[in-house]
């Protein structure tokens, strides 16, 4: 949460996650958005394993309809190079370099400020940032939230993507609040952690 707010993001800004739900980064992201007032949308990355072209179309539509300020993707998985797909959808990433200290700009998705991947290095990916650099071990979250803003159960948290039969986003639906997300159990691991209940996370080589 602190890592995002330190970049200038504000409560109500939008993060689009293109990560599998069992990734630890997905769960960290859920808590980060819950604590900071950011709104999280999730796009299923498994479409890319079946139809890469449809997956690129889905990503483009998701960035458009959500007006995402942040995109977070895995680097690669299930024999899919997700960074390569992202570069196809957002070609500015190929020539941009965050090391130059300039703000990221893409006319295709004017709201997008931070393309992020979960890999370990930036070699050949200078137009993207590393997820691990946003994990900040600090306790000054309150200092970064806008004056007078407090995260409560009614704070918006989870956005819904409306999909067509091919899995391509056509719009956005209801935005659930912190309390609605907890009560519905839509994020199983998130809810079980808050309720301090035993839980096993589905996924290859992952048991909690």
């Amino acid at each position: 949460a602190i890592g995002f707010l330190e970049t200038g993001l504000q409560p109500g800004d939008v993060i689009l996650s293109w990560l599998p739900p069992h990734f630890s980064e997905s769960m960290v992201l859920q808590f980060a958005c819950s604590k900071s007032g950011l709104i999280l949308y999730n796009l299923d990355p498994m479409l890319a394993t079946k139809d890469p072209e449809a997956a690129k179309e889905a990503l483009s539509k998701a960035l458009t309809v959500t007006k995402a300020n942040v995109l977070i993707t895995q680097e690669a998985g299930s024999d899919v190079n997700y960074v390569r797909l992202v570069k196809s959808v957002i070609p500015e990433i190929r020539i941009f370099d965050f090391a130059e200290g300039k703000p990221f700009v893409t006319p295709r998705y004017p709201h997008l400020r931070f393309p992020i991947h979960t890999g370990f290095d930036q070699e050949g990916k200078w137009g993207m940032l590393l997820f691990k650099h946003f994990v900040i071990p600090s306790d000054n979250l309150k200092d970064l939230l806008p004056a007078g803003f407090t995260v409560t159960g009614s704070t918006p948290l989870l956005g819904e993507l409306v999909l067509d039969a091919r899995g391509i986003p056509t719009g956005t639906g209801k935005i659930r609040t912190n309390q609605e997300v907890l009560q519905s159990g839509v994020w199983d691991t998130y809810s079980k952690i808050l309720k301090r209940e035993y839980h096993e996370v589905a996924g290859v080589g992952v048991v909690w």
Side-chain angles (χ1 to χ4, degrees):
I2 291 172
F4 289 130
L5 294 178
E6 281 187 338
T7 66
L9 292 173
Q10 296 287 306
D13 283 341
V14 175
I15 293 181
L16 175 62
S17 171
W18 205 25
L19 299 174
H22 71 275
F23 270 32
S24 60
E25 291 91 344
S26 291
M27 298 158 207
V28 170
L29 193 54
Q30 291 166 5
F31 280 97
C33 290
S34 176
K35 295 174 68 174
S36 61
L38 297 170
I39 298 173
L40 179 61
Y41 286 85
N42 295 284
L43 180 66
D44 187 359
M46 290 306 294
L47 180 59
T49 66
K50 305 170 185 176
D51 189 339
E53 291 304 314
K56 290 192 288 186
E57 182 181 352
L59 177 59
S60 177
K61 291 290 187 180
L63 288 167
T64 299
V65 300
T66 64
K67 298 181 180 179
N69 307 107
V70 180
L71 167 66
I72 301 180
T73 179
Q74 58 185 310
E75 182 176 17
S78 301
D79 296 323
V80 176
N81 187 322
Y82 285 92
V83 167
R84 185 177 300 159
L85 294 180
V86 171
K87 288 180 178 179
S88 296
V89 175
I90 315 169
E92 290 83 4
I93 289 175
R94 298 174 179 173
I95 58 174
F96 188 79
D97 185 352
F98 272 100
E100 295 179 356
K102 299 176 183 178
F104 180 81
V105 177
T106 168
R108 294 168 179 80
Y109 315 102
H111 296 87
L112 185 63
R113 295 176 56 195
F114 303 112
I116 300 170
H117 70 85
T118 60
F120 293 100
D121 66 78
Q122 288 184 277
E123 188 67 34
K125 302 178 285 290
W126 298 106
M128 302 184 75
L129 296 170
L130 297 174
F131 181 86
K132 64 182 180 180
H133 290 165
F134 287 82
V135 181
I136 309 296
S138 179
D139 61 356
N140 64 326
L141 178 60
K142 291 182 179 179
D143 298 334
L144 296 171
L145 291 169
F149 178 83
T150 302
V151 174
T152 67
S154 61
T155 301
L157 172 58
L158 174 60
E160 174 190 15
L161 283 172
V162 178
L163 309 177
D164 66 14
R166 299 169 54 227
I168 309 299
T170 59
T172 58
K174 175 182 173 61
I175 298 179
R176 303 191 197 192
T177 65
N178 272 318
Q179 190 63 31
E180 289 171 333
V181 169
L182 177 60
Q183 291 178 340
S184 68
V186 63
W187 289 342
D188 198 20
T189 302
Y190 172 90
S191 299
K192 291 291 174 56
I193 290 174
L194 289 177
K195 295 177 182 178
R196 299 185 179 183
E197 297 178 358
Y198 175 79
H199 176 57
E200 291 190 3
V201 179
V204 178
V206 179
V207 177
W208 285 9

